[in-house]
Amino acid sequence: MVIIILGFILVGKGIVFIGDITRLQSLIGQTGVGAFNSSANLLSFIIGYLTLLCGMFIGCGLFTLSSSLVQIPVMLVSIIFVKVRMPEPGYFELVLSIITLVLLVIFSIKGSGQLSADEFFRSYYKADMETGHTGRLFQNEEGE
């Protein structure tokens, strides 16, 4: 359940980033890192769509480990360079970003869990290797 909520949070942030790409470009420009400033247009495009895509994957439980690993650097840069330097009143975004980062680290280590698409496909693949009733489903017509 937590992984689905994390996916919804990332999808929501991705939609916000894509919807107001100029705000994301200005946030990237305010980091003060020269490499980020020179390629703010490209980085804002990549971050927006990557956050949306990884959020959908994490919410579905598909490619959870790799999606979490991809999102961790984005969240670290967001927390260190943007949220800490320019905290918004109420600190809600900073707290939400820290919680999201902690959950991404947990899911990059632990995985997506038993009720995920990753586990479904993993068990489906293992069923091909088994003998017995499920193994017979995957045999061709000649019985090989």
Side-chain angles (χ1 to χ4, degrees):
M1 183 66 167
V2 174
I3 198 161
I4 296 171
I5 295 170
L6 177 64
F8 281 140
I9 290 171
L10 290 174
V11 166
K13 274 315 242 187
I15 290 171
V16 168
F17 287 158
I18 293 169
D20 193 7
I21 203 89
T22 56
R23 181 172 182 265
L24 183 58
Q25 288 172 354
S26 69
L27 287 174
I28 291 171
Q30 292 172 357
T31 60
V33 178
F36 291 168
N37 293 339
S38 63
S39 59
N41 291 337
L42 179 64
L43 280 175
S44 61
F45 177 79
I46 291 171
I47 289 171
Y49 283 101
L50 199 63
T51 303
L52 182 66
L53 183 67
C54 288
M56 288 190 297
F57 280 153
I58 290 172
C60 294
L62 189 63
F63 306 119
T64 307
L65 285 136
S66 57
S67 296
S68 297
L69 287 174
V70 167
Q71 279 300 116
I72 287 173
V74 173
M75 291 305 299
L76 277 174
V77 169
S78 169
I79 290 170
I80 293 171
F81 289 112
V82 179
K83 307 277 191 240
V84 172
R85 285 187 181 180
M86 302 168 297
E88 296 178 5
Y91 297 101
F92 175 73
E93 286 285 327
L94 178 63
V95 171
L96 183 64
S97 296
I98 291 172
I99 291 171
T100 303
L101 177 65
V102 169
L103 289 174
L104 285 170
V105 169
I106 289 171
F107 288 125
S108 67
I109 295 170
K110 181 183 172 269
S112 55
Q114 296 295 322
L115 298 175
S116 66
D118 284 337
E119 188 61 32
F120 171 76
F121 290 125
R122 195 173 303 120
S123 65
Y124 185 79
Y125 176 72
K126 286 179 185 176
D128 181 30
M129 304 301 166
E130 293 178 357
T131 58
H133 298 295
T134 55
R136 285 187 232 145
L137 292 174
F138 298 103
Q139 291 178 350
N140 59 19
E141 294 175 5
E142 299 165 359
E144 294 178 7

Short mmCIF file of all heavy atoms in Angstrom, two decimals, residues 95-135:
data_model
loop_
_atom_site.label_atom_id
_atom_site.label_comp_id
_atom_site.label_asym_id
_atom_site.label_seq_id
_atom_site.Cartn_x
_atom_site.Cartn_y
_atom_site.Cartn_z
N VAL A 95 9.53 18.14 4.22
CA VAL A 95 9.20 16.91 4.95
C VAL A 95 8.73 15.83 3.99
O VAL A 95 9.15 14.67 4.09
CB VAL A 95 8.15 17.20 6.05
CG1 VAL A 95 7.65 15.91 6.67
CG2 VAL A 95 8.72 18.12 7.10
N LEU A 96 7.89 16.20 3.03
CA LEU A 96 7.42 15.23 2.04
C LEU A 96 8.57 14.70 1.20
O LEU A 96 8.62 13.50 0.90
CB LEU A 96 6.35 15.86 1.14
CG LEU A 96 5.71 14.94 0.12
CD1 LEU A 96 4.94 13.82 0.81
CD2 LEU A 96 4.81 15.73 -0.80
N SER A 97 9.51 15.56 0.84
CA SER A 97 10.67 15.12 0.06
C SER A 97 11.56 14.18 0.86
O SER A 97 12.07 13.19 0.32
CB SER A 97 11.49 16.32 -0.40
OG SER A 97 10.73 17.12 -1.27
N ILE A 98 11.74 14.45 2.13
CA ILE A 98 12.56 13.57 2.97
C ILE A 98 11.89 12.21 3.15
O ILE A 98 12.54 11.17 3.06
CB ILE A 98 12.86 14.24 4.33
CG1 ILE A 98 13.80 15.43 4.11
CG2 ILE A 98 13.47 13.25 5.31
CD1 ILE A 98 14.01 16.29 5.33
N ILE A 99 10.58 12.21 3.38
CA ILE A 99 9.84 10.95 3.51
C ILE A 99 9.92 10.17 2.20
O ILE A 99 10.13 8.95 2.20
CB ILE A 99 8.38 11.21 3.93
CG1 ILE A 99 8.34 11.72 5.36
CG2 ILE A 99 7.53 9.96 3.78
CD1 ILE A 99 6.98 12.22 5.80
N THR A 100 9.77 10.86 1.08
CA THR A 100 9.85 10.21 -0.22
C THR A 100 11.23 9.62 -0.45
O THR A 100 11.36 8.49 -0.93
CB THR A 100 9.52 11.21 -1.34
OG1 THR A 100 8.22 11.76 -1.10
CG2 THR A 100 9.53 10.56 -2.69
N LEU A 101 12.27 10.34 -0.07
CA LEU A 101 13.64 9.83 -0.22
C LEU A 101 13.86 8.59 0.65
O LEU A 101 14.44 7.60 0.18
CB LEU A 101 14.66 10.91 0.15
CG LEU A 101 16.12 10.49 0.10
CD1 LEU A 101 16.52 10.14 -1.33
CD2 LEU A 101 17.00 11.56 0.67
N VAL A 102 13.39 8.61 1.88
CA VAL A 102 13.54 7.45 2.76
C VAL A 102 12.81 6.25 2.18
O VAL A 102 13.34 5.12 2.16
CB VAL A 102 13.03 7.79 4.19
CG1 VAL A 102 12.91 6.54 5.04
CG2 VAL A 102 13.95 8.79 4.85
N LEU A 103 11.59 6.45 1.67
CA LEU A 103 10.85 5.34 1.06
C LEU A 103 11.53 4.82 -0.20
O LEU A 103 11.55 3.61 -0.44
CB LEU A 103 9.42 5.78 0.76
CG LEU A 103 8.51 5.98 1.96
CD1 LEU A 103 7.17 6.56 1.53
CD2 LEU A 103 8.32 4.68 2.72
N LEU A 104 12.10 5.72 -0.99
CA LEU A 104 12.83 5.28 -2.18
C LEU A 104 14.04 4.43 -1.81
O LEU A 104 14.32 3.41 -2.46
CB LEU A 104 13.26 6.48 -3.01
CG LEU A 104 12.18 7.18 -3.81
CD1 LEU A 104 12.70 8.48 -4.38
CD2 LEU A 104 11.64 6.29 -4.90
N VAL A 105 14.75 4.81 -0.77
CA VAL A 105 15.90 4.03 -0.32
C VAL A 105 15.44 2.67 0.20
O VAL A 105 16.05 1.63 -0.13
CB VAL A 105 16.70 4.81 0.76
CG1 VAL A 105 17.72 3.91 1.43
CG2 VAL A 105 17.37 6.02 0.17
N ILE A 106 14.37 2.64 0.96
CA ILE A 106 13.85 1.37 1.48
C ILE A 106 13.44 0.45 0.34
O ILE A 106 13.78 -0.74 0.32
CB ILE A 106 12.68 1.62 2.44
CG1 ILE A 106 13.18 2.23 3.74
CG2 ILE A 106 11.92 0.32 2.72
CD1 ILE A 106 12.08 2.72 4.66
N PHE A 107 12.71 0.98 -0.65
CA PHE A 107 12.25 0.13 -1.74
C PHE A 107 13.37 -0.23 -2.72
O PHE A 107 13.26 -1.23 -3.42
CB PHE A 107 11.09 0.78 -2.48
CG PHE A 107 9.82 0.78 -1.68
CD1 PHE A 107 9.16 1.96 -1.43
CD2 PHE A 107 9.32 -0.38 -1.14
CE1 PHE A 107 8.00 1.98 -0.67
CE2 PHE A 107 8.18 -0.38 -0.38
CZ PHE A 107 7.51 0.80 -0.15
N SER A 108 14.42 0.56 -2.76
CA SER A 108 15.55 0.17 -3.60
C SER A 108 16.34 -0.96 -2.96
O SER A 108 17.02 -1.72 -3.65
CB SER A 108 16.46 1.36 -3.89
OG SER A 108 17.10 1.78 -2.72
N ILE A 109 16.26 -1.09 -1.65
CA ILE A 109 16.94 -2.18 -0.94
C ILE A 109 16.03 -3.39 -0.83
O ILE A 109 16.40 -4.52 -1.16
CB ILE A 109 17.39 -1.72 0.46
CG1 ILE A 109 18.45 -0.64 0.35
CG2 ILE A 109 17.91 -2.90 1.27
CD1 ILE A 109 18.76 0.04 1.65
N LYS A 110 14.80 -3.18 -0.38
CA LYS A 110 13.88 -4.26 -0.07
C LYS A 110 13.19 -4.83 -1.30
O LYS A 110 12.93 -6.02 -1.39
CB LYS A 110 12.84 -3.74 0.92
CG LYS A 110 11.83 -4.76 1.35
CD LYS A 110 10.80 -4.12 2.28
CE LYS A 110 9.68 -5.06 2.57
NZ LYS A 110 8.59 -4.94 1.62
N GLY A 111 12.85 -3.98 -2.24
CA GLY A 111 12.08 -4.43 -3.39
C GLY A 111 10.63 -4.04 -3.23
O GLY A 111 10.24 -3.34 -2.31
N SER A 112 9.82 -4.53 -4.11
CA SER A 112 8.43 -4.08 -4.16
C SER A 112 7.47 -4.89 -3.30
O SER A 112 6.38 -4.43 -3.01
CB SER A 112 7.95 -4.09 -5.60
OG SER A 112 8.13 -5.36 -6.16
N GLY A 113 7.82 -6.08 -2.92
CA GLY A 113 6.94 -6.87 -2.06
C GLY A 113 6.20 -7.96 -2.81
O GLY A 113 6.39 -8.17 -4.00
N GLN A 114 5.34 -8.65 -2.09
CA GLN A 114 4.66 -9.82 -2.63
C GLN A 114 3.53 -9.48 -3.60
O GLN A 114 3.26 -10.24 -4.51
CB GLN A 114 4.08 -10.66 -1.47
CG GLN A 114 5.14 -11.23 -0.56
CD GLN A 114 6.01 -12.24 -1.28
OE1 GLN A 114 5.55 -13.00 -2.10
NE2 GLN A 114 7.30 -12.21 -0.98
N LEU A 115 2.85 -8.37 -3.39
CA LEU A 115 1.71 -8.02 -4.24
C LEU A 115 2.12 -6.98 -5.29
O LEU A 115 1.54 -5.91 -5.38
CB LEU A 115 0.57 -7.47 -3.38
CG LEU A 115 0.00 -8.44 -2.36
CD1 LEU A 115 -1.04 -7.76 -1.50
CD2 LEU A 115 -0.60 -9.65 -3.05
N SER A 116 3.09 -7.32 -6.10
CA SER A 116 3.56 -6.38 -7.11
C SER A 116 3.66 -7.09 -8.46
O SER A 116 3.63 -8.32 -8.55
CB SER A 116 4.93 -5.83 -6.73
OG SER A 116 5.88 -6.85 -6.75
N ALA A 117 3.76 -6.30 -9.50
CA ALA A 117 3.90 -6.87 -10.83
C ALA A 117 5.24 -7.58 -10.97
O ALA A 117 5.34 -8.61 -11.64
CB ALA A 117 3.76 -5.77 -11.88
N ASP A 118 6.27 -7.05 -10.32
CA ASP A 118 7.59 -7.72 -10.36
C ASP A 118 7.50 -9.14 -9.81
O ASP A 118 8.01 -10.08 -10.40
CB ASP A 118 8.61 -6.94 -9.53
CG ASP A 118 9.11 -5.70 -10.23
OD1 ASP A 118 9.04 -5.65 -11.47
OD2 ASP A 118 9.59 -4.80 -9.53
N GLU A 119 6.85 -9.30 -8.67
CA GLU A 119 6.73 -10.62 -8.05
C GLU A 119 5.84 -11.54 -8.88
O GLU A 119 6.10 -12.74 -8.98
CB GLU A 119 6.17 -10.48 -6.63
CG GLU A 119 6.18 -11.76 -5.84
CD GLU A 119 7.57 -12.33 -5.64
OE1 GLU A 119 8.54 -11.56 -5.54
OE2 GLU A 119 7.69 -13.57 -5.58
N PHE A 120 4.80 -10.98 -9.49
CA PHE A 120 3.94 -11.79 -10.35
C PHE A 120 4.72 -12.36 -11.52
O PHE A 120 4.65 -13.56 -11.81
CB PHE A 120 2.76 -10.97 -10.87
CG PHE A 120 1.96 -11.68 -11.91
CD1 PHE A 120 1.09 -12.69 -11.56
CD2 PHE A 120 2.10 -11.35 -13.25
CE1 PHE A 120 0.35 -13.36 -12.52
CE2 PHE A 120 1.38 -12.02 -14.22
CZ PHE A 120 0.50 -13.02 -13.86
N PHE A 121 5.49 -11.51 -12.20
CA PHE A 121 6.27 -11.99 -13.34
C PHE A 121 7.38 -12.93 -12.92
O PHE A 121 7.71 -13.87 -13.63
CB PHE A 121 6.83 -10.81 -14.14
CG PHE A 121 5.76 -10.06 -14.87
CD1 PHE A 121 5.62 -8.69 -14.68
CD2 PHE A 121 4.88 -10.69 -15.72
CE1 PHE A 121 4.63 -7.99 -15.34
CE2 PHE A 121 3.90 -10.00 -16.39
CZ PHE A 121 3.77 -8.64 -16.21
N ARG A 122 7.96 -12.69 -11.75
CA ARG A 122 9.01 -13.58 -11.24
C ARG A 122 8.43 -14.96 -10.95
O ARG A 122 9.02 -15.98 -11.30
CB ARG A 122 9.63 -12.98 -9.98
CG ARG A 122 10.92 -13.61 -9.58
CD ARG A 122 11.59 -12.87 -8.43
NE ARG A 122 11.83 -11.46 -8.74
CZ ARG A 122 11.32 -10.43 -8.07
NH1 ARG A 122 10.55 -10.64 -7.03
NH2 ARG A 122 11.58 -9.20 -8.42
N SER A 123 7.26 -15.03 -10.33
CA SER A 123 6.66 -16.33 -10.03
C SER A 123 6.13 -16.99 -11.29
O SER A 123 6.14 -18.21 -11.41
CB SER A 123 5.53 -16.17 -9.01
OG SER A 123 4.49 -15.41 -9.54
N TYR A 124 5.71 -16.22 -12.27
CA TYR A 124 5.25 -16.77 -13.54
C TYR A 124 6.40 -17.43 -14.27
O TYR A 124 6.26 -18.50 -14.84
CB TYR A 124 4.64 -15.66 -14.38
CG TYR A 124 4.02 -16.12 -15.67
CD1 TYR A 124 2.77 -16.71 -15.69
CD2 TYR A 124 4.69 -15.96 -16.87
CE1 TYR A 124 2.19 -17.12 -16.87
CE2 TYR A 124 4.13 -16.37 -18.06
CZ TYR A 124 2.88 -16.95 -18.05
OH TYR A 124 2.32 -17.36 -19.23
N TYR A 125 7.57 -16.79 -14.23
CA TYR A 125 8.74 -17.36 -14.86
C TYR A 125 9.18 -18.64 -14.15
O TYR A 125 9.56 -19.62 -14.78
CB TYR A 125 9.88 -16.34 -14.87
CG TYR A 125 11.17 -16.88 -15.42
CD1 TYR A 125 11.32 -17.13 -16.77
CD2 TYR A 125 12.23 -17.17 -14.57
CE1 TYR A 125 12.50 -17.64 -17.28
CE2 TYR A 125 13.42 -17.67 -15.08
CZ TYR A 125 13.54 -17.91 -16.43
OH TYR A 125 14.70 -18.41 -16.92
N LYS A 126 9.11 -18.64 -12.81
CA LYS A 126 9.49 -19.82 -12.04
C LYS A 126 8.54 -20.99 -12.31
O LYS A 126 8.93 -22.15 -12.24
CB LYS A 126 9.51 -19.52 -10.55
CG LYS A 126 10.67 -18.68 -10.11
CD LYS A 126 10.58 -18.42 -8.63
CE LYS A 126 11.66 -17.49 -8.17
NZ LYS A 126 11.51 -17.16 -6.74
N ALA A 127 7.29 -20.71 -12.62
CA ALA A 127 6.32 -21.77 -12.86
C ALA A 127 6.69 -22.57 -14.10
O ALA A 127 6.37 -23.75 -14.21
CB ALA A 127 4.92 -21.18 -13.03
N ASP A 128 7.39 -21.97 -15.03
CA ASP A 128 7.83 -22.67 -16.22
C ASP A 128 8.86 -23.74 -15.88
O ASP A 128 8.94 -24.77 -16.52
CB ASP A 128 8.41 -21.66 -17.22
CG ASP A 128 8.86 -22.32 -18.51
OD1 ASP A 128 8.26 -23.35 -18.88
OD2 ASP A 128 9.80 -21.82 -19.13
N MET A 129 9.63 -23.52 -14.84
CA MET A 129 10.70 -24.43 -14.47
C MET A 129 10.22 -25.58 -13.58
O MET A 129 10.93 -26.54 -13.40
CB MET A 129 11.81 -23.68 -13.73
CG MET A 129 12.38 -22.52 -14.49
SD MET A 129 13.06 -23.09 -16.05
CE MET A 129 13.26 -21.56 -16.90
N GLU A 130 9.04 -25.47 -13.03
CA GLU A 130 8.55 -26.48 -12.10
C GLU A 130 8.05 -27.72 -12.83
O GLU A 130 7.61 -27.65 -13.97
CB GLU A 130 7.39 -25.92 -11.26
CG GLU A 130 7.79 -24.83 -10.31
CD GLU A 130 6.59 -24.29 -9.56
OE1 GLU A 130 5.45 -24.71 -9.82
OE2 GLU A 130 6.81 -23.43 -8.71
N THR A 131 8.09 -28.82 -12.12
CA THR A 131 7.44 -30.02 -12.62
C THR A 131 6.08 -30.11 -11.94
O THR A 131 5.85 -29.51 -10.90
CB THR A 131 8.27 -31.27 -12.29
OG1 THR A 131 8.44 -31.34 -10.87
CG2 THR A 131 9.62 -31.21 -12.97
N GLY A 132 5.20 -30.84 -12.51
CA GLY A 132 3.88 -30.97 -11.92
C GLY A 132 2.84 -30.26 -12.77
O GLY A 132 3.00 -30.10 -13.97
N HIS A 133 1.77 -29.83 -12.12
CA HIS A 133 0.63 -29.27 -12.86
C HIS A 133 0.97 -27.97 -13.59
O HIS A 133 0.60 -27.80 -14.74
CB HIS A 133 -0.54 -29.02 -11.90
CG HIS A 133 -1.04 -30.28 -11.27
ND1 HIS A 133 -1.63 -31.29 -12.00
CD2 HIS A 133 -1.03 -30.69 -9.99
CE1 HIS A 133 -1.96 -32.27 -11.19
NE2 HIS A 133 -1.60 -31.94 -9.95
N THR A 134 1.68 -27.07 -12.94
CA THR A 134 1.99 -25.80 -13.61
C THR A 134 3.03 -25.99 -14.70
O THR A 134 3.00 -25.28 -15.70
CB THR A 134 2.51 -24.76 -12.60
OG1 THR A 134 3.61 -25.30 -11.90
CG2 THR A 134 1.43 -24.36 -11.64
N GLY A 135 3.93 -26.93 -14.54
CA GLY A 135 4.93 -27.17 -15.56
C GLY A 135 4.32 -27.70 -16.84
O GLY A 135 4.80 -27.42 -17.93
#
